Amino acid sequence: MMPSLFIAHGAPSLALEENAYTEFLQKLGQELPKPKAIVLFSAHWESTTQLVSSVANYETIYDFGGFQPELYQIKYPAQGHEETSAKIQRLFADAGIPVESDSVRGLDHGAWVVLRLLYPNADIPVVALSVNRYLSNEQQYQVGQALATLREQDVLVIGSGGTVHNLRQLNWESAGVDPWATAFDNWLHDKLVSWDTESLFAYDKLAPSAEAAVPTPEHFVPLLLAMGAGDQNKQASLLFKAYQYGNLSLSCWKFD
C-alpha cells in the first residue's frame, strides 16, 4: 500500500537549491514504489468547494514574485489522469463532500516544486486538488479520509504546505532557529506520532506559539488532509525536519 505524505514546499527558490532537504526529496522519490498516479493537495490552490483537476496537460504556474529569474524558466510538464480524477470525484460524492471538476488550472509552485524534486522526469500523472481553509480541522481530516482507499490502488496522496509558515516572521539572514518554531513543531510531533486527533483538531488553542506558526491555516491544512488519507493504520513517521530563514519549516511526514 502506498503511504500518504505531507511535504513542506518552503519558498519557491527551493526549486533551485541544493541542500539536505532537496537531496532528501530526490532520494525519497527514488525509494518510494513508483505510483500509478499522484494526488496532490496544494496550499496555493484555495476554493470553498472541493475542486479536482481534470486537466490533460498542465501548464506551469509562477504564482510568486521577486525571486530569481531562473525560476520563471522552469517547466514541469505533468500530465493529468482522467481515470483517477473521476474516481476521486466519486469518492468525495459518496462521502457527502461537495465537489467540482476543474479543466483549466495548471500546477502552482506548491505542487511543481515538490513534484520536480521527487519525480524530475514528470513521468507520473498528477491530479491536483484544492484546499478549503474554512472547513473545521476535523472536516479537513475527513476530506483526506475519503481518499484513503486510493492508496491500495498504487496512488500516492501528497499534502503540500508547511507546519510553520509565517512570512512576516522570516529572517532571511538567520542561520539559527527561533525557539517558538521548534516548540510548535515538537508539540505537533508528539500528537502526530500518538495519533491524537482530538488535540490536533484543537491545535490552534492547545499548541505553543500556534498563532505565530500558523497565522493563516491554508499551509497547515494539507497536513490534516494527508493524515486523514493515512487513517487506516494510523502510523505517523517524521522523515525529515529542518528550518530556513529562522523559522520556515521544511518537514516531511509519512502516514502508512
Side-chain angles (χ1 to χ4, degrees):
M1 184 187 293
M2 280 285 176
S4 61
L5 299 172
F6 169 78
I7 301 177
H9 58 247
S13 52
L14 188 72
L16 298 175
E17 295 173 6
E18 294 182 6
N19 54 41
Y21 187 50
T22 59
E23 290 174 8
F24 158 76
L25 289 176
Q26 290 163 354
K27 186 178 179 183
L28 179 64
Q30 296 166 6
E31 292 176 345
L32 288 169
K34 187 171 183 177
K36 170 186 174 183
I38 299 167
V39 173
L40 188 144
F41 292 93
S42 172
H44 289 277
W45 187 13
E46 292 193 68
S47 65
T48 53
T49 297
Q50 181 64 59
L51 298 178
V52 179
S53 176
S54 59
V55 171
N57 296 284
Y58 288 99
E59 297 290 331
T60 305
I61 301 175
Y62 308 102
D63 52 331
F64 47 80
F67 287 89
Q68 303 97 313
E70 305 95 294
L71 270 178
Y72 304 90
Q73 306 304 315
I74 292 175
K75 303 287 185 184
Y76 191 79
Q79 294 184 336
H81 201 257
E82 185 56 41
E83 177 190 343
T84 302
S85 176
K87 191 175 295 182
I88 291 168
Q89 292 175 62
R90 288 195 299 270
L91 289 171
F92 281 143
D94 290 346
I97 297 167
V99 60
E100 295 179 6
S101 175
D102 180 285
S103 60
V104 178
R105 194 176 191 277
L107 292 178
D108 59 64
H109 80 273
W112 64 258
V113 168
V114 167
L115 292 174
R116 186 168 173 268
L117 288 165
L118 289 171
Y119 302 107
N121 295 327
D123 56 350
I124 299 172
V126 176
V127 179
L129 282 78
S130 65
V131 301
N132 180 1
R133 70 165 72 191
Y134 300 106
L135 298 179
S136 70
N137 293 322
E138 184 172 7
Q139 288 172 316
Q140 306 288 3
Y141 186 92
Q142 291 167 350
V143 170
Q145 211 172 1
L147 304 184
T149 57
L150 292 176
R151 296 170 49 222
E152 301 170 0
Q153 301 162 38
D154 297 326
V155 174
L156 178 63
V157 178
I158 298 175
S160 173
T163 56
V164 180
H165 189 93
N166 188 335
L167 301 184
R168 293 185 178 182
Q169 294 286 341
L170 297 187
N171 180 348
W172 296 91
E173 306 300 325
S174 176
V177 182
D178 294 333
W180 61 265
T182 53
F184 178 83
D185 269 343
N186 289 343
W187 181 93
L188 191 61
H189 180 280
D190 291 344
K191 305 309 176 188
L192 287 168
V193 169
S194 61
W195 213 272
D196 183 356
T197 53
E198 183 177 353
S199 295
L200 286 166
F201 295 160
Y203 79 89
D204 50 336
K205 302 177 183 66
L206 300 179
S209 302
E211 188 173 352
V214 189
T216 56
E218 76 287 340
H219 277 75
F220 189 85
V221 163
L223 176 69
L224 297 173
L225 295 166
M227 187 184 187
D231 178 79
Q232 288 151 305
N233 295 327
K234 297 180 172 59
Q235 294 182 350
S237 305
L238 179 63
L239 302 184
F240 189 95
K241 184 173 79 167
Y243 297 87
Q244 288 183 315
Y245 317 124
N247 52 65
L248 182 66
S249 63
L250 300 176
S251 58
C252 178
W253 281 90
K254 180 177 74 166
F255 305 104
D256 55 9

